[in-house]
């Protein structure tokens, strides 16, 4: 027997009488795990759905691959993909929406709020043979340890342009004094600089808002001080390296994890 029934906004045609339609459950939270209500859930066709106070909504779907968008005013929209099997309900789809910053910069995601990363000018101490690029100051506020660190990065650069900047995340170490070699021999000089020690791996993902990116470290960061910087400038060994960059790029974005 050929029969037809309406599932969501799609007409379903089967060889036997239609059974109960398959249902997809969607859950939306903010970056801190709080349920988000009034999140608009859009499918490729049909009317959108809206999450309730518990951040959840369920609706009928048909077998196949679906691209679904979740959006809410003031938050960065997010896309998700789900495959609906021929039989049975698909796995629930979870969205994490990040609040969209008002201005450009790095924003560390803490336990309950964003922590803006302050811009810190890079200083250079150099002799004829030795060069250090580093920071004089590090922030007092810190991000929590114990999980991969997340950052919302708002930039006027497109993804291809950002890739050319060679964005680097380095763990910092403090050097109070260092031995330098000049024309008169070795001598100790006072540095008082936070310099790059080791680089850390991270993933950077574009979002549906083209000027926002999500950065997630590949592993939890140990307690200590870190900084984002471009063109590997904190690791440069030439005194002129900093001067070659525009003034706007002669900066780093330090933060602490503890």
């Amino acid at each position: 027997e050929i029969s037809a029934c309406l599932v969501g906004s799609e007409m379903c045609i089967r060889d036997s009488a239609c059974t109960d339609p398959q249902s997809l459950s969607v859950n939306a939270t903010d970056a801190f795990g709080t349920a988000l209500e009034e999140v608009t859930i859009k499918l490729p066709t049909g009317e959108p759905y809206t999450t309730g106070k518990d951040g959840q909504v369920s609706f009928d779907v048909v077998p196949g691959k679906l691209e679904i968008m979740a959006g809410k005013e003031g938050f960065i929209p997010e896309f998700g993909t789900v495959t609906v099997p021929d039989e049975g309900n698909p796995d629930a789809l979870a969205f994490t929406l990040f609040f969209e910053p008002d201005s450009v910069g790095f924003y560390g995601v803490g336990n309950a709020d964003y922590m803006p990363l302050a811009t810190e000018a890079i200083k250079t101490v150099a002799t004829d043979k030795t060069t250090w690029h580093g920071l004089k100051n590090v922030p007092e506020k810190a991000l929590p340890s114990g999980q991969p660190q997340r950052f919302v990065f708002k930039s006027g650069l497109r993804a291809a342009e950002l890739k050319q900047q060679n964005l680097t995340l380095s763990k910092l170490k403090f050097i109070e004094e260092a031995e330098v070699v000049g024309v008169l021999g070795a001598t100790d000089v006072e540095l008082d600089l936070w310099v790059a020690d080791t680089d850390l791996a991270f993933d950077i993902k574009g979002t549906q808002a083209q000027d926002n990116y999500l950065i997630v470290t590949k592993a939890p960061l140990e307690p200590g001080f870190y900084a984002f910087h471009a063109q590997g400038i904190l690791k440069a060994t030439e005194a002129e390296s900093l001067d070659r960059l525009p003034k706007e790029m002669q900066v780093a974005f330090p933060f602490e994890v503890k």
Side-chain angles (χ1 to χ4, degrees):
E1 178 185 358
I2 300 297
S3 60
C5 59
L6 188 65
V7 181
S9 61
E10 301 282 346
M11 183 63 70
C12 166
I13 299 177
R14 299 179 181 169
D15 292 334
S16 60
C18 290
T19 58
D20 292 337
Q22 290 150 291
S23 178
L24 172 65
S25 296
V26 174
N27 179 56
T29 61
D30 65 14
F32 317 108
T34 302
L36 285 177
E37 64 176 318
E38 297 184 353
V39 173
T40 300
I41 306 297
K42 293 183 179 180
L43 279 69
T45 60
E47 294 296 321
Y49 300 89
T50 304
T51 59
K53 291 184 178 181
D54 59 358
Q56 299 181 11
V57 64
S58 297
F59 44 85
D60 297 339
V61 289
V62 294
K65 189 174 182 179
L66 291 177
E67 294 237 346
I68 300 174
M69 189 196 80
K72 180 178 173 68
E73 185 175 358
F75 290 80
I76 301 170
E78 182 69 16
F79 270 88
T81 302
V82 62
T83 299
V84 182
D86 292 333
E87 296 182 2
N89 294 328
D91 293 335
L93 186 61
F95 287 100
T96 300
L97 299 186
F98 290 81
F99 183 75
E100 183 171 8
D102 292 328
S103 56
V104 297
F106 291 85
Y107 297 82
V109 180
N111 287 327
D113 203 357
Y114 282 0
M115 186 184 82
L117 305 191
T119 303
E120 184 70 25
I122 297 174
K123 305 296 183 182
T124 299
V125 176
T127 67
D128 291 341
K129 295 186 177 181
T130 311
T131 298
W132 289 269
H133 297 297
L135 307 175
K136 283 292 187 182
N137 302 304
V138 290
E140 297 180 359
K141 294 182 179 181
L143 293 171
S145 60
Q147 60 184 1
Q149 272 63 41
R150 301 174 297 168
F151 303 85
V152 174
F153 175 42
K154 189 178 182 70
S155 171
L157 299 179
R158 302 295 185 185
E161 297 171 319
L162 182 60
K163 188 175 182 179
Q164 295 174 352
Q165 298 302 311
N166 188 25
L167 185 64
T168 303
L169 173 61
S170 297
K171 186 172 185 179
L172 305 179
K173 64 179 179 180
F174 184 72
I175 299 181
E176 184 175 358
E177 289 185 344
E179 182 182 83
V180 299
V181 178
V183 293
L184 299 180
T187 184
D188 289 333
V189 297
E190 185 176 292
L191 289 183
D192 290 335
L193 283 180
W194 290 91
V195 302
D197 187 10
T198 55
D199 292 344
L200 289 306
F202 61 88
D203 293 318
I204 183 167
K205 182 183 77 170
T207 67
Q208 297 307 310
Q210 293 185 348
D211 54 353
N212 288 283
Y213 300 87
L214 178 62
I215 296 173
V216 183
T217 59
K218 287 186 177 292
L221 300 183
E222 298 177 352
F225 291 93
Y226 301 82
F228 286 103
H229 54 105
Q231 304 295 346
I233 188 60
L234 283 179
K235 300 178 72 70
T237 57
E238 297 178 1
E240 299 81 10
S241 298
L242 195 64
D243 295 332
R244 295 192 190 108
L245 297 177
K247 185 177 181 180
E248 293 78 13
M249 294 181 62
Q250 297 178 16
V251 297
F253 301 86
F255 62 94
E256 183 182 6
V257 172
K258 69 177 181 181

